[in-house]
Amino acid sequence: MRLDPDSPGLLSALLHSMADYGVILIDPDGAVRLWSVGAERLFQYSDDEMVGQPVLRLFSEVDREAGALDAAVHEALQEGRAWDIRCMVRRDGTHFWAECLLSPVRDARGRLAGFLKVARDATARKRDEEKMMLLARMDPLTGLANRTALDEKLVNAAQSAARSRRMMVVHMIDLDHFKAVNDRYGHAMGDELLRRVASRITQVVRSSDFVARLGGDEFVLVQTDVDDPTVGGRVAAQIVDALARPFRIERAELHIGASIGISVFPRDSVDTKQLLRMADVALYKVKSDGRGGYHYFTEDMDRIAHRLGTDRAMLREALDRNAFTLHYQPQIDTRDGHVVGMEALLRCEHPALAGYPVQELIALAEGSGLIRDLGVWCLGEACRQARAWREAGIPPLRMCVNFCAGELNDPHLLERVAEVLENTGLASGDIEIEITEQQLVDYGRPGYTVLDDLRAMGASLAIDDFGTGYSSLGYLAKLPVDRIKLDRSFVERVPNDALSCTVALAIVNLAHTLDLGIVAEGVETAEQSRFLDETNCEAQQGYFFSRPLDRYAMTDWLLGRCETRDKVIAREALRH
């Protein structure tokens, strides 16, 4: 059938009002039976040209060969509709992205009469998504790849090397004396130096090699398709020489250097994470020998790394002796200045472990099977402190506790959480579970997960370090997420770095679009706070408000804010 667009009636008026949507009625054999004004605008075919013609004419050659229409029809019949974003073809042969919905149409007896296809132009949306995916894999300061892109590259390069029976060389590059530059000349000069360093490294290596910045002053070089592992040493020496030459920035002449640790696939390991760790061990050897050189990973250095086995016993002892403590850092509501959340941060006071970074302690706990005990202690201590603050008259706030993959795989986690809440008198809605994107990757996503159960209990879920990698948009779509935390790496250079501002604004807007809360981490200056306020970022956390404090100092800090607020309220009351 053909609908006369000039005929009166509700359907005609409806189709005319949907000028931005192409509405197409297709018979069971795939021929077009109705072609709306919106379809004519979208595909540039008139109804005379399309009615009676196969709808496959609108599909790209790739989709026609892949049977895309048959697949969509099958899904529509099974699920009641099929939705996707697909590359379509206009009358002039140009391709564009369209958002399409296909639904079966049945007659009064329930027999299939055809399909209704509704399409609209999604080219701009697709372009924005691709831009976000690119930004999610790029270091905003140097333009190099970031940790996400590095991990993907390592896996793909290792698979390729295994198939071709060739080698891959991994370099862990750390700058010498970079901190002194930052301290003397400031972060702006330090950022420019990092850009110059990235440029010199890329000038030394082959175009087929891969360079990434991990953060701070750490870089990684991956050499692929290697026959002789000594190639790595030659390139490392060239990088050391290149970075030893002075950098002239503005009127300053800056002298730094580089230390490089090297591991080789498959000689040292076939596991990509292990290769990075081995390169890091080799880097430590260079640092301990006086810096300014390179070293390959060896078994001797591996034995040094395995001294951590002894430290596992120390970790157990630290737990037994209550040598762990929590520090707290507030999350401030940008709109009214109230404290809305408090992140609990682990610290260790055991003499043998005090020098370890927190992430190493957590990795040590995971490797030694102590992460569950440590995690339950952290949650219990944080909840007890939240209860103590309420009893002191401090308004209720969200207590945020970091979880890791090892804890989420604990089959008794829900029971442990329920027991902590019962013992402390808190409700599940009083706590928020923070988990990084990397931990989500390590944890996986089976159909029935403890994250869903925690959410069902009433706890909220936040993704920490958001924007630093690992299919962020995919996890937001699949997980019961309440909040995302904008990583400090995007905050530290706003508002002076245009690209960082663009990324930060995009992530804040993404959170608003998905109706998620957002907290910006690492806010250290009034300028950063003001910029985030102007982007409508609803909460902020960082040294600008308070550094992490122990429970006593944080209690005084909170009570001081309560007293200040009470005084303001009292003054306002007196005025009236």
Side-chain angles (χ1 to χ4, degrees):
M1 67 177 180
R2 178 182 297 176
L3 179 70
D4 182 0
D6 296 321
S7 65
L10 180 61
L11 181 58
S12 177
L14 177 63
L15 293 179
H16 268 83
S17 69
M18 298 175 64
D20 293 331
Y21 290 80
V23 181
I24 309 167
L25 185 63
I26 309 165
D27 67 20
D29 295 324
V32 174
R33 293 306 175 193
L34 183 148
W35 186 257
S36 74
V37 173
E40 184 172 346
R41 287 188 177 184
L42 188 62
F43 293 95
Q44 300 174 352
Y45 287 102
S46 68
D47 61 340
D48 290 328
E49 292 174 304
M50 281 305 301
V51 172
Q53 299 298 314
V55 74
L56 275 174
R57 174 185 287 188
L58 309 175
F59 284 67
S60 69
E61 183 176 351
V62 173
D63 281 350
R64 288 199 298 269
E65 292 178 355
L69 179 60
D70 291 340
V73 165
H74 177 76
E75 182 179 349
L77 292 173
Q78 295 293 319
E79 304 295 333
R81 65 176 184 173
W83 177 93
D84 61 16
I85 294 181
R86 183 173 301 283
C87 184
M88 308 294 285
V89 184
R90 292 191 174 94
R91 187 178 186 276
D92 62 4
T94 58
H95 290 65
F96 71 104
W97 289 98
E99 186 178 19
C100 305
L101 180 67
L102 186 72
S103 302
V105 177
R106 301 186 184 278
D107 62 20
R109 297 182 179 181
R111 295 175 300 187
L112 182 68
F115 295 87
L116 183 66
K117 184 179 183 68
V118 181
R120 67 173 178 176
D121 195 329
T123 303
R125 173 182 169 184
K126 185 71 174 179
R127 188 186 305 118
D128 289 343
E129 288 180 353
E130 291 173 349
K131 183 178 180 181
M132 282 293 296
M133 292 297 291
L134 175 63
L135 292 174
R137 286 162 171 74
M138 183 179 70
D139 171 49
L141 176 63
T142 63
L144 297 176
N146 66 4
R147 181 60 183 259
T148 301
L150 171 64
D151 287 345
E152 292 175 354
K153 177 65 176 181
L154 284 172
V155 171
N156 293 334
Q159 292 172 348
S160 177
R163 288 193 298 269
S164 62
R165 297 180 179 274
R166 295 171 75 83
M167 286 178 280
M168 173 177 69
V169 180
V170 177
H171 302 246
M172 185 73 72
I173 306 169
D174 188 77
L175 303 185
D176 301 330
H177 314 299
F178 177 75
K179 185 177 183 300
V181 173
N182 258 351
D183 292 344
R184 180 176 179 182
Y185 296 100
H187 289 288
M189 182 78 82
D191 286 350
E192 180 58 28
L193 176 58
L194 289 173
R195 295 187 190 96
R196 302 281 185 93
V197 166
S199 177
R200 286 195 186 180
I201 293 175
T202 54
Q203 289 172 10
V204 168
V205 304
R206 302 174 301 176
S207 59
S208 59
D209 292 335
F210 185 87
V211 184
R213 177 176 175 242
L214 294 187
D217 60 349
E218 285 189 321
F219 298 80
V220 171
L221 163 64
V222 181
Q223 292 179 278
T224 57
D225 197 26
V226 173
D227 283 326
D228 181 359
T230 61
V231 169
R234 293 197 293 272
V235 172
Q238 292 173 7
I239 294 174
V240 170
D241 289 343
L243 300 184
R245 298 196 304 269
F247 291 82
R248 298 182 184 279
I249 302 177
E250 297 176 0
R251 297 183 179 181
E253 184 175 283
L254 308 179
H255 295 266
I256 57 171
S259 299
I260 304 177
I262 304 172
S263 61
V264 180
F265 172 97
R267 187 187 68 180
D268 295 326
S269 177
V270 296
D271 182 273
T272 55
K273 292 182 179 179
Q274 183 79 343
L275 284 170
L276 285 174
R277 188 188 71 82
M278 289 173 167
D280 201 41
V281 171
L283 173 63
Y284 175 81
K285 173 63 175 173
V286 180
K287 293 282 191 181
S288 64
D289 287 347
R291 305 183 180 184
Y294 69 90
H295 206 297
Y296 282 87
F297 173 81
T298 67
E299 290 299 324
D300 289 338
M301 284 183 284
D302 193 41
R303 279 193 288 272
I304 294 173
H306 279 80
R307 65 182 175 81
L308 293 177
T310 304
D311 293 336
R312 289 174 182 149
M314 298 292 182
L315 186 68
R316 176 78 266 177
E317 182 179 308
L319 268 172
D320 293 341
R321 294 188 178 184
N322 296 320
F324 285 100
T325 186
L326 293 180
H327 282 199
Y328 301 91
Q329 189 172 40
Q331 297 173 353
I332 308 299
D333 191 312
T334 304
R335 295 159 293 191
D336 57 21
H338 289 167
V339 180
V340 292
M342 189 71 70
E343 182 177 3
L345 301 164
L346 183 67
R347 300 290 186 268
C348 183
E349 299 175 351
H350 191 286
L353 300 175
Y356 276 90
V358 171
Q359 291 306 317
E360 286 191 23
L361 286 176
I362 292 173
L364 184 62
E366 285 194 276
S368 58
L370 295 175
I371 190 61
R372 296 173 183 176
D373 292 341
L374 183 58
V376 169
W377 178 87
C378 288
L379 179 63
E381 182 68 14
C383 289
R384 282 188 289 274
Q385 188 57 56
R387 185 69 186 181
W389 283 333
R390 291 190 186 185
E391 293 174 351
I394 296 169
L397 45 80
R398 183 176 64 241
M399 181 58 75
C400 308
V401 182
N402 292 278
F403 275 32
C404 63
E407 294 172 87
L408 295 177
N409 288 317
D410 177 5
H412 302 293
L413 177 62
L414 296 175
E415 301 169 23
R416 296 172 188 256
V417 171
E419 183 179 359
V420 167
L421 294 174
E422 182 179 357
N423 291 340
T424 57
L426 293 186
S428 55
D430 296 324
I431 63 173
E432 181 164 276
I433 307 304
E434 292 189 6
I435 182 167
T436 67
E437 292 182 81
Q438 173 60 59
Q439 290 289 346
L440 286 173
V441 171
D442 292 342
Y443 169 57
R445 175 67 174 168
Y448 184 76
T449 75
V450 71
L451 290 176
D452 296 315
D453 291 337
L454 286 168
R455 177 68 183 281
M457 288 176 62
S460 55
L461 173 66
I463 298 184
D464 200 6
D465 301 340
F466 186 84
T468 56
Y470 306 106
S471 305
S472 307
L473 298 179
Y475 282 114
L476 289 181
K478 295 176 183 177
L479 289 170
V481 179
D482 298 280
R483 208 172 327 278
I484 58 180
K485 300 189 73 177
L486 177 62
D487 186 70
R488 65 182 63 248
S489 63
F490 299 114
V491 174
E492 63 184 3
R493 286 181 292 277
V494 301
N496 299 318
D497 181 77
L499 182 56
S500 295
C501 291
T502 300
V503 174
L505 179 60
I507 293 176
V508 172
N509 288 338
L510 174 65
H512 293 161
T513 300
L514 298 177
D515 198 23
L516 298 175
I518 183 163
V519 180
E521 298 181 286
V523 181
E524 297 187 357
T525 68
E527 291 77 13
Q528 292 170 347
S529 180
R530 191 177 305 114
F531 170 83
L532 292 165
D533 187 17
E534 292 171 354
T535 67
N536 295 318
C537 179
E538 67 184 52
Q540 301 178 27
Q541 175 182 346
Y543 279 26
F544 178 65
F545 305 99
S546 171
R547 65 180 57 248
L549 301 173
D550 64 29
R551 57 177 177 169
Y552 303 108
M554 183 51 67
T555 299
D556 291 340
W557 187 90
L558 287 169
L559 289 173
R561 289 182 70 88
C562 290
E563 291 173 2
T564 301
R565 186 172 64 252
D566 291 343
K567 290 177 182 177
V568 171
I569 294 172
R571 277 199 303 271
E572 291 298 320
L574 288 172
R575 288 177 182 175
H576 299 288

